[in-house]
Tab-separated table of all heavy atoms in Angstrom:
chain	number	residue	atom	x	y	z
C	394	LEU	N	-51.970	110.564	145.312
C	394	LEU	CA	-52.391	111.896	144.912
C	394	LEU	C	-53.871	111.833	144.511
C	394	LEU	O	-54.361	110.790	144.066
C	394	LEU	CB	-51.551	112.384	143.733
C	394	LEU	CG	-50.064	112.634	144.007
C	394	LEU	CD1	-49.369	113.066	142.721
C	394	LEU	CD2	-49.878	113.681	145.087
C	395	ALA	N	-54.565	112.936	144.661
C	395	ALA	CA	-56.004	112.961	144.384
C	395	ALA	C	-56.286	113.495	142.991
C	395	ALA	O	-55.432	114.120	142.351
C	395	ALA	CB	-56.714	113.819	145.428
C	396	LEU	N	-57.503	113.249	142.529
C	396	LEU	CA	-57.913	113.759	141.221
C	396	LEU	C	-57.833	115.285	141.182
C	396	LEU	O	-57.602	115.877	140.127
C	396	LEU	CB	-59.339	113.298	140.910
C	396	LEU	CG	-59.519	111.821	140.547
C	396	LEU	CD1	-60.998	111.492	140.393
C	396	LEU	CD2	-58.761	111.483	139.271
C	397	ALA	N	-58.010	115.913	142.343
C	397	ALA	CA	-57.930	117.371	142.402
C	397	ALA	C	-56.521	117.865	142.094
C	397	ALA	O	-56.331	119.046	141.783
C	397	ALA	CB	-58.366	117.855	143.789
C	398	ASP	N	-55.535	116.972	142.181
C	398	ASP	CA	-54.151	117.354	141.887
C	398	ASP	C	-53.849	117.318	140.394
C	398	ASP	O	-52.749	117.689	139.982
C	398	ASP	CB	-53.176	116.411	142.606
C	398	ASP	CG	-53.231	116.566	144.111
C	398	ASP	OD1	-53.238	117.712	144.568
C	398	ASP	OD2	-53.275	115.541	144.820
C	399	ARG	N	-54.787	116.836	139.585
C	399	ARG	CA	-54.542	116.727	138.151
C	399	ARG	C	-54.211	118.104	137.564
C	399	ARG	O	-54.879	119.093	137.835
C	399	ARG	CB	-55.761	116.138	137.448
C	399	ARG	CG	-55.552	115.852	135.968
C	399	ARG	CD	-56.787	115.218	135.371
C	399	ARG	NE	-57.042	113.902	135.927
C	399	ARG	CZ	-58.163	113.218	135.682
C	399	ARG	NH1	-59.114	113.719	134.923
C	399	ARG	NH2	-58.320	112.012	136.218
C	400	GLY	N	-53.138	118.140	136.788
C	400	GLY	CA	-52.678	119.395	136.212
C	400	GLY	C	-51.633	120.093	137.059
C	400	GLY	O	-51.012	121.063	136.602
C	401	ARG	N	-51.425	119.602	138.290
C	401	ARG	CA	-50.441	120.223	139.176
C	401	ARG	C	-49.036	119.761	138.818
C	401	ARG	O	-48.834	118.641	138.394
C	401	ARG	CB	-50.765	119.867	140.630
C	401	ARG	CG	-49.765	120.440	141.641
C	401	ARG	CD	-50.221	120.204	143.069
C	401	ARG	NE	-50.152	118.818	143.473
C	401	ARG	CZ	-49.029	118.209	143.873
C	401	ARG	NH1	-47.860	118.851	143.845
C	401	ARG	NH2	-49.056	116.953	144.274
C	402	TRP	N	-48.065	120.642	139.008
C	402	TRP	CA	-46.671	120.296	138.766
C	402	TRP	C	-46.158	119.442	139.919
C	402	TRP	O	-46.307	119.793	141.084
C	402	TRP	CB	-45.819	121.553	138.610
C	402	TRP	CG	-44.364	121.271	138.354
C	402	TRP	CD1	-43.353	121.313	139.248
C	402	TRP	CD2	-43.785	120.900	137.093
C	402	TRP	NE1	-42.162	120.992	138.646
C	402	TRP	CE2	-42.388	120.743	137.318
C	402	TRP	CE3	-44.289	120.692	135.816
C	402	TRP	CZ2	-41.505	120.385	136.302
C	402	TRP	CZ3	-43.415	120.343	134.805
C	402	TRP	CH2	-42.039	120.182	135.048
C	403	VAL	N	-45.579	118.299	139.605
C	403	VAL	CA	-45.045	117.373	140.607
C	403	VAL	C	-43.525	117.429	140.555
C	403	VAL	O	-42.926	117.258	139.489
C	403	VAL	CB	-45.532	115.933	140.345
C	403	VAL	CG1	-44.887	114.963	141.321
C	403	VAL	CG2	-47.054	115.864	140.447
C	404	GLU	N	-42.912	117.657	141.696
C	404	GLU	CA	-41.461	117.747	141.757
C	404	GLU	C	-40.840	116.344	141.822
C	404	GLU	O	-41.445	115.413	142.341
C	404	GLU	CB	-41.013	118.543	142.990
C	404	GLU	CG	-41.437	120.004	142.979
C	404	GLU	CD	-40.685	120.819	141.944
C	404	GLU	OE1	-39.694	120.304	141.382
C	404	GLU	OE2	-41.080	121.973	141.706
C	405	ALA	N	-39.633	116.205	141.313
C	405	ALA	CA	-38.908	114.945	141.419
C	405	ALA	C	-38.683	114.619	142.892
C	405	ALA	O	-38.311	115.486	143.676
C	405	ALA	CB	-37.567	115.046	140.684
C	406	GLY	N	-38.946	113.374	143.273
C	406	GLY	CA	-38.800	112.958	144.661
C	406	GLY	C	-40.073	113.056	145.474
C	406	GLY	O	-40.146	112.529	146.589
C	407	GLU	N	-41.103	113.700	144.942
C	407	GLU	CA	-42.365	113.840	145.671
C	407	GLU	C	-43.084	112.495	145.760
C	407	GLU	O	-43.064	111.696	144.825
C	407	GLU	CB	-43.252	114.862	144.966
C	407	GLU	CG	-44.538	115.190	145.698
C	407	GLU	CD	-45.318	116.308	145.032
C	407	GLU	OE1	-44.710	117.088	144.270
C	407	GLU	OE2	-46.534	116.393	145.272
C	408	VAL	N	-43.726	112.234	146.900
C	408	VAL	CA	-44.462	110.985	147.089
C	408	VAL	C	-45.690	110.970	146.184
C	408	VAL	O	-46.500	111.906	146.190
C	408	VAL	CB	-44.890	110.810	148.560
C	408	VAL	CG1	-45.743	109.557	148.716
C	408	VAL	CG2	-43.668	110.722	149.467
C	409	LEU	N	-45.821	109.899	145.408
C	409	LEU	CA	-46.954	109.765	144.493
C	409	LEU	C	-48.023	108.840	145.059
C	409	LEU	O	-49.219	109.111	144.941
C	409	LEU	CB	-46.467	109.204	143.152
C	409	LEU	CG	-45.397	110.003	142.418
C	409	LEU	CD1	-44.936	109.249	141.174
C	409	LEU	CD2	-45.917	111.380	142.047
C	410	VAL	N	-47.595	107.742	145.658
C	410	VAL	CA	-48.539	106.737	146.137
C	410	VAL	C	-47.855	105.875	147.183
C	410	VAL	O	-46.627	105.703	147.164
C	410	VAL	CB	-49.042	105.868	144.947
C	410	VAL	CG1	-47.906	105.063	144.344
C	410	VAL	CG2	-50.174	104.950	145.388
C	411	ARG	N	-48.648	105.366	148.117
C	411	ARG	CA	-48.168	104.412	149.118
C	411	ARG	C	-48.927	103.105	148.915
C	411	ARG	O	-50.165	103.115	148.847
C	411	ARG	CB	-48.393	104.928	150.539
C	411	ARG	CG	-47.583	106.179	150.885
C	411	ARG	CD	-47.896	106.655	152.303
C	411	ARG	NE	-47.196	107.872	152.631
C	411	ARG	CZ	-45.978	107.925	153.158
C	411	ARG	NH1	-45.346	106.793	153.426
C	411	ARG	NH2	-45.401	109.080	153.435
C	412	LEU	N	-48.195	102.005	148.835
C	412	LEU	CA	-48.792	100.706	148.552
C	412	LEU	C	-48.464	99.712	149.659
C	412	LEU	O	-47.408	99.799	150.293
C	412	LEU	CB	-48.269	100.161	147.215
C	412	LEU	CG	-48.454	101.052	145.989
C	412	LEU	CD1	-47.731	100.446	144.794
C	412	LEU	CD2	-49.934	101.232	145.684
C	413	SER	N	-49.361	98.772	149.866
C	413	SER	CA	-49.121	97.704	150.835
C	413	SER	C	-49.376	96.362	150.169
C	413	SER	O	-50.397	96.179	149.499
C	413	SER	CB	-50.033	97.843	152.052
C	413	SER	OG	-49.924	96.692	152.884
C	414	PRO	N	-48.465	95.395	150.341
C	414	PRO	CA	-48.693	94.063	149.773
C	414	PRO	C	-49.671	93.243	150.595
C	414	PRO	O	-50.095	92.167	150.178
C	414	PRO	CB	-47.291	93.441	149.802
C	414	PRO	CG	-46.641	94.085	150.984
C	414	PRO	CD	-47.164	95.500	151.007
C	415	GLU	N	-50.035	93.739	151.772
C	415	GLU	CA	-50.916	92.982	152.658
C	415	GLU	C	-52.380	93.198	152.296
C	415	GLU	O	-52.773	94.276	151.851
C	415	GLU	CB	-50.672	93.393	154.110
C	415	GLU	CG	-49.241	93.145	154.572
C	415	GLU	CD	-49.005	93.676	155.972
C	415	GLU	OE1	-49.724	94.600	156.386
C	415	GLU	OE2	-48.085	93.167	156.639
C	416	GLU	N	-53.166	92.170	152.525
C	416	GLU	CA	-54.590	92.279	152.225
C	416	GLU	C	-55.266	93.279	153.157
C	416	GLU	O	-56.127	94.053	152.757
C	416	GLU	CB	-55.272	90.916	152.356
C	416	GLU	CG	-56.750	90.941	152.001
C	416	GLU	CD	-57.391	89.573	152.085
C	416	GLU	OE1	-56.673	88.591	152.357
C	416	GLU	OE2	-58.608	89.484	151.882
C	417	HIS	N	-54.867	93.236	154.430
C	417	HIS	CA	-55.411	94.166	155.417
C	417	HIS	C	-54.230	94.850	156.097
C	417	HIS	O	-53.692	94.347	157.085
C	417	HIS	CB	-56.268	93.433	156.450
C	417	HIS	CG	-57.435	92.728	155.845
C	417	HIS	ND1	-58.486	93.398	155.258
C	417	HIS	CD2	-57.703	91.417	155.701
C	417	HIS	CE1	-59.367	92.514	154.804
C	417	HIS	NE2	-58.907	91.316	155.050
C	418	PRO	N	-53.778	95.991	155.554
C	418	PRO	CA	-52.573	96.633	156.068
C	418	PRO	C	-52.673	97.057	157.520
C	418	PRO	O	-51.671	97.236	158.177
C	418	PRO	CB	-52.408	97.844	155.151
C	418	PRO	CG	-53.784	98.117	154.655
C	418	PRO	CD	-54.425	96.777	154.502
Side-chain angles (χ1 to χ4, degrees):
L394 294 178
L396 287 175
D398 293 315
R399 186 178 294 171
R401 178 173 70 81
W402 180 260
V403 176
E404 295 290 349
E407 185 174 339
V408 176
L409 302 175
V410 65
R411 295 178 183 272
L412 304 173
S413 171
E415 300 175 335
E416 182 178 357
H417 300 293

